[in-house]
Amino acid sequence: MDSLISTSTLTRKNFMSYAIIGAGKVGQALARAFARKEIEVALASRRPPEALAPVAKAIGPTIIPKSLQDAVKAEIVLLAIPFETHKDVAKAAKSWQGKIVIDVTNAYGVAPEELGNLPSSVVISQALPGAKLVKAFNHLAAKTLAEDPNVKGGRRVLFLSSDDESAAARVAALIEQLGFAPVGLGRLAEGGLLIQARGNTWALLIFQDLFKKGE
């Protein structure tokens, strides 16, 4: 496992636009993490914005309900959706070029043969041409993800994996901004397999609730 990613030399871009696609338990848990730090983020699903308004209001004023078509215009998009719906979301954007997409899905129960024996994140990446994909936020249960990450005298760990180092660094900076401790696992087909379900088997690091002591 790689050591903790250092983001001290990164330029924090607080003006980045964010969107969470998916308003289920995981999507709402992510929204709570953003709300805790008063970071504005769009919340969208296949339902219209007005249907999401009560959910967004209950979480906090920085959670903005939007249509799926508007939400995918964000610079960083978090996919908190059932894996099998990723192709529908892919069609919502005119272009994914240059966007950072954070894959929060878990392809549990999907036969490896259906994925061409590729990691599920690679399959999603292929459906989003031009996007820089990072696997993150998926290894914790929604209830745990929604909790304050500052516990037990340290910060809750979030693993991430990507084939794009610059995108991984940007997502690591976001993870730190949300109060978690980012730990990089390398490329999607290498260390990233530790946080990707395969068939009916959960990967080794999924549901591992770990903490980093100190700063």
Side-chain angles (χ1 to χ4, degrees), residues 64-124:
I64 313 300
K66 288 189 177 182
S67 68
L68 180 58
Q69 289 70 26
D70 285 337
V72 294
K73 295 175 183 177
E75 294 163 283
I76 297 183
V77 178
L78 295 90
L79 295 183
I81 56 175
F83 173 80
E84 60 271 13
T85 66
H86 73 273
K87 290 183 179 180
D88 294 331
V89 173
K91 297 173 185 176
K94 292 182 179 179
S95 172
W96 291 94
Q97 190 66 41
K99 293 183 183 296
I100 294 176
V101 175
I102 304 176
D103 175 19
V104 194
T105 70
N106 279 310
Y108 183 81
V110 179
E113 295 77 18
E114 293 182 42
L115 305 177
N117 289 309
L118 295 171
S120 59
S121 286
V122 172
V123 173
I124 288 183

Side-chain angles (χ1 to χ4, degrees), residues 193-208:
L193 290 178
L194 295 171
I195 50 172
Q196 298 202 33
R198 185 172 178 83
N200 293 321
T201 303
W202 290 108
L204 292 176
L205 293 180
I206 291 182
F207 304 130
Q208 296 298 310

Side-chain angles (χ1 to χ4, degrees), residues 26-68:
V26 175
Q28 290 184 43
L30 288 168
R32 292 186 186 283
F34 276 81
R36 190 180 299 116
K37 297 297 183 178
E38 299 182 346
I39 302 172
E40 184 172 300
V41 62
L43 181 66
S45 73
R46 287 178 289 184
R47 293 182 286 165
E50 53 269 24
L52 300 178
V55 174
K57 184 177 181 181
I59 295 174
T62 61
I63 310 305
I64 313 300
K66 288 189 177 182
S67 68
L68 180 58

Side-chain angles (χ1 to χ4, degrees), residues 15 23-25 79 105 111 127 130 145 148 151-152 168 185-186 196:
F15 57 84
K25 291 181 180 179
L79 295 183
T105 70
L145 187 61
D148 190 331
V151 289
K152 298 184 179 180
L185 301 177
Q196 298 202 33

